[in-house]
Amino acid sequence: DTAVSQTPKYLVTQMGNDKSIKCEQNLGHDTMYWYKQDSKKFLKIMFSYNNKELIINETVPNRFSPKSPDKAHLNLHINSLELGDSAVYFCASSQRLQPPLGEQFFGPGTRLTVL
Amino acid sequence: QQQVKQSPQSLIVQKGGIPIINCAYENTAFDYFPWYQQFPGKGPALLIAIRPDVSEKKEGRFTISFNKSAKQFSLHIMDSQPGDSATYFCAAGIYNQGGKLIFGQGTELSVKP
């Protein structure tokens, strides 16, 4: 029943480690996104994929690498984690140009804590 | 030019009051203005959205007012309820460009019983 799911929900790790967050959507959408929400709740887009093709790549460190194996999945791999990477990461999906106005559906988020 | 400025940062109203949240933008290319609602521990969810060809849109107790010349838009919540307590985000995007949304800073709304 879950529309956009993410795993894990919580991730606690040490500085310097490499970690991955997985996202899956069962809405049949063709576009998926990664957002970062910082401690002040500011929400900023990181990446967007449309039909497995990268279409939005904001100014994000190279340590962050998204991968889309198919339209329904978008994973985020982070190398050499830093304290500043601590945040909540949201995956979202949408159907481009489809009413209502390309609504983006968000997942429940992954809270990443880097110690 | 890519910023969306949202105010106030926090808002407390009594049940039945009408909280108003304001947003302003600079980029005249923006043509899609959604509002998202986020409860603690959850992802944001679309509440209501507007395109600049109309000046107002109402869905239930939620109304967006849009002023194209002033490059401002606002959310009004009629007859607010304690269940409306959440963080509200305005956003702006260019409808035909990949779905990229620029979010405002968020407003934490608390509706007291």
Side-chain angles (χ1 to χ4, degrees):
Chain A
D1 289 331
T2 305
V4 181
S5 59
Q6 295 179 228
T7 53
K9 188 162 174 64
Y10 299 97
L11 190 50
V12 181
T13 188
Q14 298 287 330
M15 243 180 7
N17 283 351
D18 303 338
K19 290 293 178 186
S20 292
I21 307 172
K22 295 186 176 181
C23 178
E24 177 181 2
Q25 54 95 3
N26 62 5
L27 297 166
H29 289 164
D30 61 3
T31 305
M32 295 184 73
Y33 312 81
W34 278 112
Y35 285 87
K36 179 180 180 180
Q37 186 170 49
D38 64 22
S39 58
K40 295 185 179 179
K41 294 193 177 178
F42 184 62
L43 204 56
K44 190 175 191 308
I45 191 166
M46 300 172 69
F47 303 102
S48 173
Y49 272 74
N50 176 256
N51 285 319
K52 301 196 303 175
E53 181 185 346
L54 182 66
I55 55 171
I56 295 174
N57 185 352
E58 290 297 288
T59 310
V60 177
N62 291 338
R63 300 181 293 103
F64 290 80
S65 52
K67 282 190 173 46
S68 181
D70 56 57
K71 271 188 359 177
H73 295 85
L74 180 62
N75 303 323
L76 183 65
H77 188 76
I78 316 170
N79 289 327
S80 304
L81 278 155
E82 300 178 357
L83 293 176
D85 298 332
S86 295
V88 180
Y89 292 84
F90 286 100
C91 176
S93 74
S94 71
Q95 185 66 21
R96 281 181 82 178
L97 306 182
Q98 178 168 317
L101 299 174
E103 175 181 358
Q104 293 186 21
F105 291 79
F106 282 76
T110 296
R111 182 174 292 276
L112 171 65
T113 303
V114 182
L115 303 174
Chain B
Q1 255 220 333
Q2 288 290 317
Q3 278 190 332
V4 176
K5 294 184 180 178
Q6 183 173 344
S7 62
Q9 194 172 351
S10 62
L11 192 51
I12 300 174
V13 299
Q14 291 295 126
K15 179 183 171 183
I18 306 176
I20 300 172
I21 304 170
N22 300 299
C23 287
Y25 63 97
E26 288 295 323
N27 188 349
T28 54
F30 287 143
D31 63 359
Y32 170 53
F33 302 92
W35 284 88
Y36 279 79
Q37 180 188 54
Q38 184 179 24
F39 292 105
K42 305 289 185 185
L46 181 68
L47 196 59
I48 185 173
I50 198 169
R51 295 196 72 183
D53 49 347
V54 297
S55 60
E56 185 177 281
K57 183 174 181 182
K58 186 179 289 190
E59 283 185 6
R61 296 184 293 107
F62 300 92
T63 300
I64 300 179
S65 298
F66 186 84
N67 185 330
K68 189 174 181 177
S69 59
K71 292 183 283 187
Q72 294 175 348
F73 58 110
S74 59
L75 177 71
H76 296 61
I77 306 175
M78 303 302 179
D79 187 27
S80 58
Q81 301 296 313
D84 296 329
S85 298
T87 301
Y88 292 81
F89 294 93
C90 63
I94 300 171
Y95 188 56
N96 292 333
Q97 287 190 7
K100 177 178 175 178
L101 291 177
I102 307 297
F103 280 85
Q105 296 90 332
T107 296
E108 199 165 330
L109 172 66
S110 177
V111 181
K112 300 295 186 188

